[in-house]
Amino acid sequence: MNEHDLSDLRAEFDKFVSDKCSLNPEDAMKQDRDIGDKEDEEPVPQFVDALTSKLLAPAHSGVYLSRLDIKRIAEAIDESIPIKERIKMVRALFRHTTKKEYLKEAFAEIDRHINGRILIYQELAEAFPASKSVFDENIAKAKKTMKMFSTIVEDFEEIEPTSDPLFV
C-alpha cells in the first residue's frame, strides 16, 4: 500500500472530524437542527409528559413507535408535523389539543399501530414458541398502554378556544 494514499486518507479524516465532530458547544448548536425551535418550547397539556414517558419507552408500552410511525399517525388524523426527535413529535401532535374528539381520533390511530405490533408479536410467538413468554409480556404491556388512552380521554377537560385563561 502506498504511504501517500494513507496520508490523503488521514487528511480527509481529520478534515471530517474538524467539520462534523466539534467539541465546542456553540458549534454543536449550529449543527443540531432541532435545537432552538420556538415551537418546541410552547406548553403542552398535562397528560403529554406522562404519555410520552410511557408510550415511547418499549419497556413500559411493549411496543416501539418510530418517527415514521408517529408521522403516519399524524397524517391519518390530518395533522402535519415535522420529523424530529420522537418526544418532540408527540408533543407537537398533542400541543394544541382542545377537544376530546381529537384525542379519540389520535388514540384510535395509535391503537391501530399498536394492534399491528400485537399481531406481529402473536405471529412471532407462534413461529418461535420458546420466546412466547417474552412476546406475551409485550402484548400485555401494549394492551395496558391502550387502556391508558381511554383514561386520558375520560379525564380530559375540553377547553374553549375563546375562553380567557385568567378569567375565573
Side-chain angles (χ1 to χ4, degrees):
M1 177 157 235
N2 188 354
E3 192 171 312
H4 179 67
D5 292 339
L6 288 178
S7 62
D8 288 345
L9 181 63
R10 180 65 185 183
E12 186 178 331
F13 178 75
D14 289 340
K15 182 180 181 315
F16 173 79
V17 169
S18 67
D19 290 348
K20 303 291 183 186
C21 304
S22 176
L23 297 176
N24 186 356
E26 293 174 10
D27 292 341
M29 286 185 67
K30 291 176 188 173
Q31 290 177 357
D32 189 355
R33 295 180 182 121
D34 282 348
I35 290 180
D37 287 349
K38 292 178 185 176
E39 190 174 280
D40 292 335
E41 301 302 320
E42 290 179 15
V44 293
Q46 272 184 325
F47 70 88
V48 175
D49 291 329
L51 177 69
T52 54
S53 67
K54 299 253 191 276
L55 181 65
L56 298 182
H60 292 290
S61 67
V63 296
Y64 179 82
L65 294 176
S66 69
R67 294 174 186 193
L68 187 57
D69 291 327
I70 299 168
K71 180 77 171 169
R72 287 180 179 157
I73 290 167
E75 288 173 352
I77 59 172
D78 296 327
E79 284 290 323
S80 177
I81 58 173
I83 294 181
K84 297 182 177 186
E85 293 176 19
R86 293 180 316 137
I87 292 173
K88 290 180 180 181
M89 291 177 73
V90 171
R91 290 175 63 93
L93 185 63
F94 292 108
R95 178 168 287 119
H96 302 291
T97 303
T98 58
K99 301 284 184 194
K100 279 188 179 186
E101 194 60 37
Y102 178 84
L103 276 181
K104 287 179 186 177
E105 288 178 23
F107 288 144
E109 192 60 35
I110 294 171
D111 281 349
R112 284 188 204 100
H113 276 73
I114 292 175
N115 282 327
R117 298 304 194 284
I118 289 174
L119 289 174
I120 293 170
Y121 291 163
Q122 289 170 341
E123 288 177 14
L124 289 171
E126 289 175 16
F128 304 102
S131 301
K132 185 174 180 356
S133 62
V134 174
F135 293 116
D136 288 344
E137 183 180 329
N138 285 340
I139 290 170
K141 288 177 185 179
K143 289 181 178 179
K144 184 178 177 184
T145 300
M146 291 178 359
K147 287 180 186 176
M148 178 182 70
F149 300 154
S150 61
T151 305
I152 291 172
V153 171
E154 289 172 12
D155 293 344
F156 184 76
E157 293 181 21
E158 289 189 358
I159 302 167
E160 290 296 322
T162 58
S163 64
D164 182 8
L166 300 176
F167 181 73
V168 180

